[in-house]
C-alpha cells in the first residue's frame, strides 16, 4: 500500500506499582520521575487473525493471544495494540466495524476479552484497542437505519448528498481504495460518502450525537480494562461541507484512478478539537492515545500532540517509517525533525499496511543482519517504539503470486501493480510444526517457507538469531537509564555509512553505532563536545562488531551498543 495508500529490580518495581495501581482504578499513571507509563513501555501490534489460533479454525483469536502473554512479557513487551476484533463483516478485515461494543465471534467473546485483560495483567502486558472513528461497516445498525429513509433517526449520522446530475456523484472525491468516494443508495436515491471501501460509510462528525456515541464507546472500553486506543485514520474525520472538488494531479494510482490532492476531504482543523475531547476522556482513565498519523512534515506531526500536549500522547512518526533505505543522512534528518517537535517521539518500522521491513530494507544477502540492525536502531532511540508481530524473528512478506489467492480487496482491484496487504499479515511463525505452529488447520493466509528457520522456537535456541538480539536490546532498554530517559545526540554526522548517536542521562551514556552499508566500516568517537573525555567503549550488545578504546570496527550491517566510560 502506498503512503496513505533483565529489567532492573527498581524499574520493575516502579513499572509494576504504576501498572497495578492503574489497573485497579484511576490513579496517577506516572513513575517517581514523572514519566507516564507509556514513555517507558514497548508496544507491540498484534494482528488478531494471524497471531495464534486457539480453536484451530485457521483464524487467530483472543484466547490465542491470551496463551502468548508469557512470550510477550519475556520478549520485553509492555502493551499490545490489537487491530480491530469487533464484530465485522471483515471486508477490510475488521476496519469495517458493525458493533463497537462487542467482540466478533470469530475472535471469541467479551468473556474471552476479559480473560485476555486478566492474563495481560498477570504478565504486565496492557491492552490497547484499535478505534475506528472515521467510518463504520455498512452493516452497522446505525447505517442500516440511516439508509432506510431520508427522515430516519440516524440519517444525519452519515454523509448523504444528492448527485450533481443524474448518474453523477456529488463531487470528484475518490475513495483511497479505488473508484468514486460516493455510492448511490437506491432506497433514498442519495449518495453516501466513503473515504475507504463502499462498505465503510464515513460517519458525520459534525453531528453531536455521533461524537457522543463515539466518546461513550471509548469510556465503555476503558471501564473494561483497556489502557488506550490506537486511533485509525484520524486525518479523514472531517470533510468540506460544501464539497469542493479536489485538485487532480498528473498520473494515475495503482487503482487506475487519477491522482488527486485530498485537500477538501482530509486534515481539517476540526480533527484537533475532537482529539482534545477524546484525550479528556482518556485522561479520566490514565489511558494513552496513539495516532495513525500520516504527515508529510514535522509541523503537521507536531500539531497532533496538541497545544500543551492536550491531544495525542503518541502520534506515530510515519516519516521515519517511510525512509525505506538504509541512509544515515536521511535518518539523522528525520530524527532531528521529530526531536524538534513538542512531544515524545513514536517510532515504527512495520505495520499491517506496509511491506515488512525485512523485505523493504533487506538486500537479499544480509537480511538477518539488517533485521538485527534495524531493531537495535529504533529500539534505542529516544521515544516509544511500536513493534509489529513477527518483526522480532525476521518474518518476511509472503505476497500472493496469483490474483485469485488475494484476500485484501485492493489487491484484487489493483492487481498486479497493487497486490494488497496479505503479504505482511501472514500467520505468526511459532515453530517448525505444520502451519508454523499457528494452527492445526490451513490458515487463512499461507505461511512462507522461511518459517522453517525463522520461528520463535528455533530462534530462541540460537544466541545470534534476530530474536535473541531483539530480546537483548529490549531488556537493555528497560533497564538502562540512558536508553530510557537519556537525551539523543547524533555523532559523526558526516559519516555516510555509520549511523551513530549518544544517549546520555545524568552522567551515564550509551553509544550506538550501526553500519548501514555492505562493507566493513571503522568509526572513532571524540565525545569532548558531549563533555566526555577519553572515550572507552564497553560493549553491551554487539553483532558483527568490536570496540577498542574509542574505535569501532563494524562488519557489513554490524551493530554495537556500548557504555561510555
Ligand atoms: C488504516 C488501517 O491501518 C487500514 O488497515 C485500514 O484499511 C484503513 N485505515 C481503513 O480503516
Amino acid at each position: 500500500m502506498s503512503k496513505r495508500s533483565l529489567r532492573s529490580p527498581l524499574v520493575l518495581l516502579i513499572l509494576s506499582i504504576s501498572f497495578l495501581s492503574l489497573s485497579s482504578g484511576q490513579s496517577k499513571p506516572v513513575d517517581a520521575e514523572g514519566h507516564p507509563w507509556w514513555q517507558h513501555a514497548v508496544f507491540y501490534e498484534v494482528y488478531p487473525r494471524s497471531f495464534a489460533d486457539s480453536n484451530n479454525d485457521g483464524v487467530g483469536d483472543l484466547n490465542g493471544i491470551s496463551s502468548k502473554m508469557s512470550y510477550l512479557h519475556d520478549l520485553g513487551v509492555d502493551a499490545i495494540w490489537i487491530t480491530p476484533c469487533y464484530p465485522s463483516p471483515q471486508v477490510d478485515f475488521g476496519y469495517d466495524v458493525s458493533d463497537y461494543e462487542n467482540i466478533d465471534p470469530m475472535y471469541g467473546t467479551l468473556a474471552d476479552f476479559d480473560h485476555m485483560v486478566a492474563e495481560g495483567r498477570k504478565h504486565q502486558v496492557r491492552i490497547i484497542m484499535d478505534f475506528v472513528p472515521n467510518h463504520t461497516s455498512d452493516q452497522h445498525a446505525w447505517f442500516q437505519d440511516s439508509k432506510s429513509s431520508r427522515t430516519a433517526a440516524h440519517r444525519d449520522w452519515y454523509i448523504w448528498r444528492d448527485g450533481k446530475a443524474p448518474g453523477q456523484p456529488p463531487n470528484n472525491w475518490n475513495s483511497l481504495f479505488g473508484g468514486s468516494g460516493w455510492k448511490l443508495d437506491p432506497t433514498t436515491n442519495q449518495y453516501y460518502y466513503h473515504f475507504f471501501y463502499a462498505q465503510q460509510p464515513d460517519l458525520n462528525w459534525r453531528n453531536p450525537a455521533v461524537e457522543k456515541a463515539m466518546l461513550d464507546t471509548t469510556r465503555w472500553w476503558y471501564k473494561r480494562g483497556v489502557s488506550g486506543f490506537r486511533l485509525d485514520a484520524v486525518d479523514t474525520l472531517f470533510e468540506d461541507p460544501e464539497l469542493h472538488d479536489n485538485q487532480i494531479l498528473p498520473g494515475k494510482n495503482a487503482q487506475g484512478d487519477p491522482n488527486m490532492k485530498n485537500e477538501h476531504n482530509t486534515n481539517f482543523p476540526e480533527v484537533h478539537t475532537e482529539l482534545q475531547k477524546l484525550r479528556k476522556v482518556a485522561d479520566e482513565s490514565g489511558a494513552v492515545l496513539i495516532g495513525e498519523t500520516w504527515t508529510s512534515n514535522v509541523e503537521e506531526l507536531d500539531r497532533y500532540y496538541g497545544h500543551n500536549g492536550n491531544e495525542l500522547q503518541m502520534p506515530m512518526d510515519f516519516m521515519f517509517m517511510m525512509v525505506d533505505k538504509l541512509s544515515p543522512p536521511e535518518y539523522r534528518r528525520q530524527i532531528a525533525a521529530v526531536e524538534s517537535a513538542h512531544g515524545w517521539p513514536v517510532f515504527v518500522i512495520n505495520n499491517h499496511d506496509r511491506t515488512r521491513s525485512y523485505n523493504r530494507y533487506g538486500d537479499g544477502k544480509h537480511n538477518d543482519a539488517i533485521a538485527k540492525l534495524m531493531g537495535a536502531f529504533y529500539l534505542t532511540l529516544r521515544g516509544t517504539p511500536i513493534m509489529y508481530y513477527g518483526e522480532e524473528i525476521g518474518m518476511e512478506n509472503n505476497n500472493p503470486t496469483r490474483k485469485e489467492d488475494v484476500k485484501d480487496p485492493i489487491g484484487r482491484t489493483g492487481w498486479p501493480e497493487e497486490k494488497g496487504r496479505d503479504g505482511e499479515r501472514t500467520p505468526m511463525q511459532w515453530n517448525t510444526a505444520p502451519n508454523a505452529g499457528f494452527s492445526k488447520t490451513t490458515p487463512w493466509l499461507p505461511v512462507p517457507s522461511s518459517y522453517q528457520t525463522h520461528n520463535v522456537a528455533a530462534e530462541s535456541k540460537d544466541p545470534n538469531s534476530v530474536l535473541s538480539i531483539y530480546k537483548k536490546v529490549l531488556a537493555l532498554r528497560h533497564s538502562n537509564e540512558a536508553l530510557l530517559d537519556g537525551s539523543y545526540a547524533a555523532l559523526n554526522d558526516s559519516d555516510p555509512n555509520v549511523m551513530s548517536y549518544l544517549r546520555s542521562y545524568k552522567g551515564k551514556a550509551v553509544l550506538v553505532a550501526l553500519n548501514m552499508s555492505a562493507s566493513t566500516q571503522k568509526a572513532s568517537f571524540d565525545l569532548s563536545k558531549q563533555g566526555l573525555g577519553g572515550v572507552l567503549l564497553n560493549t553491551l550488545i554487539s553483532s558483527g562488531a568490536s570496540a577498542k578504546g574509542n574505535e569501532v570496527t563494524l562488519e557489513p550491517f554490524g551493530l554495537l551498543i556500548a557504555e561510555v566510560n
Side-chain angles (χ1 to χ4, degrees):
M1 199 187 170
S2 63
K3 168 181 176 293
R4 263 251 30 139
S5 88
L6 161 233
R7 310 181 190 186
S8 82
L10 179 66
V11 172
L12 248 188
L13 184 73
I14 290 168
L15 280 177
S16 47
I17 289 173
S18 55
F19 184 89
L20 286 174
S21 53
L22 178 68
S23 52
S24 58
Q26 318 310 320
S27 70
K28 276 195 266 157
V30 290
D31 65 15
E33 283 210 319
H35 291 278
W37 65 269
W38 46 267
Q39 288 187 344
H40 285 174
V42 170
F43 289 67
Y44 182 100
E45 179 187 353
V46 170
Y47 200 69
R49 295 182 72 85
S50 294
F51 198 58
D53 179 13
S54 75
N55 63 351
N56 293 306
D57 63 356
V59 175
D61 45 54
L62 299 191
N63 285 334
I65 299 172
S66 296
S67 72
K68 300 296 182 187
M69 287 296 177
S70 64
Y71 168 74
L72 292 165
H73 172 76
D74 294 349
L75 176 60
V77 167
D78 307 289
I80 53 173
W81 145 36
I82 305 174
T83 63
C85 52
Y86 314 105
S88 161
Q90 303 288 321
V91 171
D92 192 17
F93 298 106
Y95 283 97
D96 46 326
V97 179
S98 55
D99 178 355
Y100 285 96
E101 296 181 358
N102 214 331
I103 297 295
D104 194 291
M106 87 168 49
Y107 297 127
T109 61
L110 279 170
D112 296 334
F113 177 85
D114 295 341
H115 173 65
M116 179 177 69
V117 171
E119 282 300 299
R121 283 193 179 137
K122 252 191 243 163
H123 295 89
Q124 290 100 48
V125 176
R126 294 168 186 263
I127 307 298
I128 306 292
M129 292 291 264
D130 205 317
F131 189 53
V132 189
N134 177 68
H135 48 269
T136 67
S137 159
D138 62 350
Q139 301 306 307
H140 195 295
W142 300 339
F143 188 72
Q144 290 294 310
D145 179 51
S146 186
K147 68 183 263 194
S148 66
S149 99
R150 290 195 183 203
T151 55
H154 292 87
R155 183 64 172 181
D156 196 32
W157 283 47
Y158 296 84
I159 299 166
W160 292 98
R161 291 288 193 282
D162 292 329
K164 232 202 267 183
Q168 272 188 43
N171 69 8
N172 76 348
W173 299 350
N174 276 334
S175 155
L176 180 72
F177 288 162
S180 170
W182 296 95
K183 185 167 179 195
L184 182 66
D185 190 70
T187 315
T188 58
N189 201 29
Q190 276 196 317
Y191 288 80
Y192 67 89
Y193 176 62
H194 56 94
F195 186 85
F196 298 97
Y197 292 121
Q199 296 91 335
Q200 294 169 298
D202 271 46
L203 282 162
N204 174 17
W205 274 80
R206 297 190 192 276
N207 180 345
V210 167
E211 179 195 85
K212 180 175 182 318
M214 296 307 266
L215 292 177
D216 285 350
T217 296
T218 65
R219 269 193 199 97
W220 192 87
W221 284 105
Y222 294 138
K223 284 201 193 107
R224 221 163 179 120
V226 317
S227 297
F229 284 98
R230 173 265 191 190
L231 306 182
D232 186 67
V234 285
D235 53 333
T236 61
L237 280 195
F238 287 88
E239 304 73 30
D240 172 10
E242 288 172 23
L243 307 189
H244 290 102
D245 278 347
N246 280 335
Q247 188 190 335
I248 305 287
L249 302 171
K252 293 199 167 185
N253 63 24
Q255 301 294 330
D257 296 322
N259 287 323
M260 140 172 319
K261 189 171 174 200
N262 285 332
E263 56 192 328
H264 296 299
N265 55 343
T266 61
N267 281 322
F268 272 69
E270 288 90 330
V271 165
H272 296 279
T273 316
E274 297 307 331
L275 292 180
Q276 286 159 25
K277 293 184 184 174
L278 283 159
R279 174 62 183 277
K280 264 202 180 139
V281 178
D283 282 349
E284 290 164 12
S285 298
V288 70
L289 296 179
I290 305 171
E292 191 205 11
T293 35
W294 287 104
T295 59
S296 40
N297 55 58
V298 74
E299 289 75 30
E300 272 178 27
L301 179 67
D302 208 9
R303 238 170 277 144
Y304 279 113
Y305 290 105
H307 297 295
N308 308 316
N310 63 352
E311 295 185 25
L312 304 176
Q313 298 103 317
M314 290 180 52
M316 293 189 242
D317 179 1
F318 286 146
M319 294 170 289
F320 180 89
M321 179 175 72
M322 296 303 285
V323 172
D324 274 0
K325 56 181 181 217
L326 294 172
S327 163
E330 188 52 35
Y331 279 125
R332 284 183 205 114
R333 262 195 296 281
Q334 290 298 343
I335 298 165
V338 71
E339 282 275 323
S340 74
H342 300 91
W344 186 255
V346 179
F347 295 107
V348 186
I349 59 171
N350 282 297
N351 67 30
H352 62 283
D353 294 326
R354 289 217 76 205
T355 299
R356 283 183 177 269
S357 58
Y358 194 81
N359 304 75
R360 275 187 290 120
Y361 297 100
D363 65 353
K365 191 171 162 204
H366 303 94
N367 285 26
D368 279 10
I370 294 171
K372 295 173 201 170
L373 174 111
M374 287 306 290
F377 180 25
Y378 89 109
L379 298 173
T380 59
L381 290 173
R382 191 185 76 91
T384 296
I386 307 180
M387 299 168 57
Y388 183 50
Y389 81 96
E391 172 192 313
E392 72 276 24
I393 52 170
M395 252 173 80
E396 65 177 17
N397 246 68
N398 193 25
N399 284 336
T401 51
R402 307 180 315 168
K403 185 177 172 186
E404 55 269 38
D405 296 333
V406 177
K407 300 273 192 309
D408 186 15
I410 51 168
R412 292 198 296 269
T413 49
W415 190 268
E417 198 185 324
E418 166 69 72
K419 295 190 166 65
R421 298 163 291 180
D422 295 354
E424 52 264 35
R425 299 173 173 181
T426 60
M428 178 68 178
Q429 297 164 195
W430 294 103
N431 53 44
T432 53
N435 311 315
F438 162 77
S439 176
K440 295 204 167 80
T441 322
T442 306
W444 76 289
L445 286 175
V447 292
S449 56
S450 65
Y451 83 95
Q452 292 285 355
T453 50
H454 290 72
N455 64 69
V456 171
E459 291 191 41
S460 298
K461 289 188 213 125
D462 172 2
N464 296 315
S465 64
V466 178
L467 180 60
S468 295
I469 294 288
Y470 259 80
K471 275 191 167 172
K472 282 185 210 164
V473 176
L474 286 166
L476 185 67
R477 73 161 280 143
H478 279 100
S479 58
N480 184 292
E481 290 176 299
L483 291 184
L484 282 169
D485 299 323
S487 59
Y488 162 93
L491 301 173
N492 297 0
D493 53 15
S494 55
D495 190 323
N497 298 309
V498 180
M499 173 81 203
S500 55
Y501 46 93
L502 193 72
R503 301 284 318 279
S504 325
Y505 182 77
K506 293 188 178 163
K508 293 188 181 154
V510 167
L511 184 145
V512 180
L514 307 162
N515 181 3
M516 295 195 166
S517 81
S519 52
T520 300
Q521 302 288 336
K522 279 190 188 304
S524 59
F525 300 96
D526 168 8
L527 302 181
S528 45
K529 256 206 252 157
Q530 281 76 24
L532 299 165
V535 180
L536 251 192
L537 295 174
N538 173 27
T539 301
L540 297 169
I541 298 173
S542 70
S543 178
S546 59
K548 205 168 173 203
N550 71 343
E551 195 173 278
V552 177
T553 306
L554 296 145
E555 289 169 18
F557 307 106
L559 66 96
L560 181 111
I561 305 173
E563 222 165 24
V564 180
N565 295 319

